[in-house]
Amino acid sequence: MSDGRTPSPDQDILAEIQAEVAHELEEERPPAGGPVYQVVGALVALVVGIGGAVLAYGYGLGSLRRPGPGMWPFVVSIAITLMAVALLVVGRRLTDSEKFTRSSILPAVGLVTFIVLALLMPVIGFEIPSLLLCVVWLRFLGGESWRSTIITSIATVAAFYFLFLYGLRIPLPHLF
């Protein structure tokens, strides 16, 4: 047993592992971006929040007792907008941002596919756009296998279908 002054062999091994993991994480981390990147990120989030609120409002908010299909997307969009404004206020003093790299495009592609979902849903319903969104996110953005993508996409869309239409009684546009 260790007397507290000299490290035990277990503590030495743990310290070595922690140092190795910290070094590997530092090597993989993109270069620091600085305050400008914080502000740019906040502005992008602000546009996403406002755009989402406008689209959600178009679906109809309903009331608190009988929420419409746009109620919860509207609430989330307002939360994104408020957090973006907060980041704009304090972001110029923060330095923990990362420079944009090739992998920075993945969230943008995810956002574009989400906007396409919002635009297609009133036209062809909830099911097909949602399934396509899941496939794109899992297979092409997430790198999942086709088997995992298909099973997860179908299960996810089915779960949300029953949750929104039967559990929450939100009248989504749907085919079935």
Side-chain angles (χ1 to χ4, degrees):
M1 182 175 273
S2 175
D3 64 357
R5 285 180 262 159
T6 58
S8 71
D10 289 341
Q11 289 172 331
D12 286 341
I13 292 172
L14 179 61
E16 285 180 38
I17 292 172
Q18 287 174 334
E20 184 178 330
V21 167
H23 179 70
E24 287 177 11
L25 288 174
E26 193 60 36
E27 284 180 353
E28 293 176 10
R29 186 179 185 144
V36 172
Y37 284 84
Q38 291 281 10
V39 172
V40 169
L43 289 172
V44 169
L46 185 65
V47 169
V48 168
I50 291 170
V54 168
L55 285 171
Y57 184 80
Y59 285 128
L61 300 181
S63 67
L64 289 178
R65 290 185 188 254
R66 297 189 52 109
M71 174 67 82
W72 296 116
F74 184 80
V75 169
V76 170
S77 296
I78 295 300
I80 291 170
T81 302
L82 293 174
M83 287 186 280
V85 168
L87 186 57
L88 273 174
V89 170
V90 298
R92 287 170 274 176
R93 293 186 293 273
L94 301 174
T95 59
D96 62 344
S97 64
E98 299 172 350
K99 285 189 177 180
F100 297 124
T101 62
R102 289 183 126 186
S103 64
S104 301
I105 195 72
L106 295 178
V109 172
L111 173 64
V112 168
T113 58
F114 198 70
I115 290 169
V116 170
L117 165 84
L119 296 173
L120 286 177
M121 203 179 332
V123 178
I124 60 174
F126 165 79
E127 300 86 351
I128 294 171
S130 298
L131 188 64
L132 291 174
L133 178 80
C134 286
V135 168
V136 168
W137 282 13
L138 290 169
R139 177 67 183 154
F140 301 109
L141 300 181
E144 295 292 328
S145 69
W146 275 111
R147 179 180 179 203
S148 173
T149 296
I150 291 168
I151 292 169
T152 304
S153 296
I154 291 171
T156 300
V157 171
F160 278 109
Y161 179 86
F162 287 107
L163 173 70
F164 286 131
L165 292 175
Y166 298 109
L168 298 173
R169 301 211 188 281
I170 295 175
L172 291 174
H174 57 92
L175 294 175
F176 307 108

